[in-house]
Amino acid sequence: MITRGLVDAEHHTFLISAPDTDPTETYSEGQVFDAGNNLISVHTGIAYGPVNVTLEQLSGDDDMFLNGGPAIDLDAWDNVEEVHVVCRQPMLFITLSNEIVEEFGELTSPIGARCFRIATRGRAEHWDMDVDSATEDYLIQTWPAGSPSMIREIKASDGVWPVEH
């Protein structure tokens, strides 16, 4: 199932999390997002304003998962990262001011972990600015997964949010 919409970024961030999850309780840091139990904290280039989000929810039952998940055109994106997080509650798209973005609905999964692969483009173009219309794109692919993992960087080319390893 594919859903497209706008999510408002605040303080360079939007969340995919359970409603009562503390957005600072992360265990893995990346250039695209930080991860914790029931939590993905996405890093935007803009300080405030809307971003374009495409959510692709996958079942995890297809043969594509034998080879690590769905294909992604790396040439179309500046950065791509992936992680498996523990999801014991439904996760929602939430702004830092605690507003739920209803059009994306709940991301539910059996008790266990869920894979999140997030691709970005356009984050460096309006760095630290307040915008009125979307200037950044995010593809979020998600599916049920095995055990939790640290963030795996697949591609990093925009130079935004570097992580010291």
Side-chain angles (χ1 to χ4, degrees), residues 7-13 44-51 96 126-133 135-136:
V7 176
D8 285 327
E10 300 171 351
H11 300 285
H12 291 278
T13 304
T44 63
I46 61 167
Y48 294 89
V51 297
L96 282 183
H126 295 92
W127 173 255
D128 203 30
M129 294 179 68
D130 296 359
V131 299
D132 294 325
S133 59
T135 60
E136 301 177 21

Side-chain angles (χ1 to χ4, degrees), residues 4 32 52-54 56 71-81 117-123 136-141 154-158:
R4 290 180 176 83
V32 175
N52 292 311
V53 174
T54 300
E56 185 176 352
I72 187 165
D73 179 4
L74 293 179
D75 292 336
W77 300 98
D78 298 329
N79 294 62
V80 181
E81 289 180 347
R117 180 189 293 156
I118 302 179
T120 69
R121 68 176 158 236
R123 294 188 312 165
E136 301 177 21
D137 298 305
Y138 294 80
L139 170 63
I140 300 169
Q141 297 173 305
I154 298 170
K155 180 180 179 184
S157 66
D158 71 5

Side-chain angles (χ1 to χ4, degrees), residues 107-118:
L107 305 178
T108 57
S109 183
I111 298 297
R114 182 166 200 90
C115 183
F116 285 88
R117 180 189 293 156
I118 302 179

Side-chain angles (χ1 to χ4, degrees), residues 11-160:
H11 300 285
H12 291 278
T13 304
F14 68 89
L15 305 173
I16 307 167
S17 72
D20 58 350
T21 300
D22 180 344
T24 64
E25 290 188 7
T26 59
Y27 61 74
S28 187
E29 295 179 0
Q31 290 187 37
V32 175
F33 59 87
D34 296 340
N37 294 333
N38 299 306
L39 172 66
I40 300 289
S41 178
V42 181
H43 306 301
T44 63
I46 61 167
Y48 294 89
V51 297
N52 292 311
V53 174
T54 300
L55 171 64
E56 185 176 352
Q57 294 185 73
L58 304 159
S59 67
D61 297 332
D62 300 337
D63 288 339
M64 73 177 95
F65 294 97
L66 299 175
N67 297 320
I72 187 165
D73 179 4
L74 293 179
D75 292 336
W77 300 98
D78 298 329
N79 294 62
V80 181
E81 289 180 347
E82 180 174 292
V83 70
H84 296 187
V85 297
V86 172
C87 297
R88 302 221 187 282
Q89 302 172 45
M91 295 175 66
L92 305 164
F93 282 74
I94 304 174
T95 67
L96 282 183
S97 56
N98 212 27
E99 292 179 29
I100 295 171
V101 184
E102 299 286 343
E103 63 212 69
F104 292 104
E106 290 185 347
L107 305 178
T108 57
S109 183
I111 298 297
R114 182 166 200 90
C115 183
F116 285 88
R117 180 189 293 156
I118 302 179
T120 69
R121 68 176 158 236
R123 294 188 312 165
E125 293 174 25
H126 295 92
W127 173 255
D128 203 30
M129 294 179 68
D130 296 359
V131 299
D132 294 325
S133 59
T135 60
E136 301 177 21
D137 298 305
Y138 294 80
L139 170 63
I140 300 169
Q141 297 173 305
T142 183
W143 59 89
S147 52
S149 71
M150 301 304 276
I151 293 172
R152 180 173 72 96
E153 184 178 279
I154 298 170
K155 180 180 179 184
S157 66
D158 71 5
V160 177

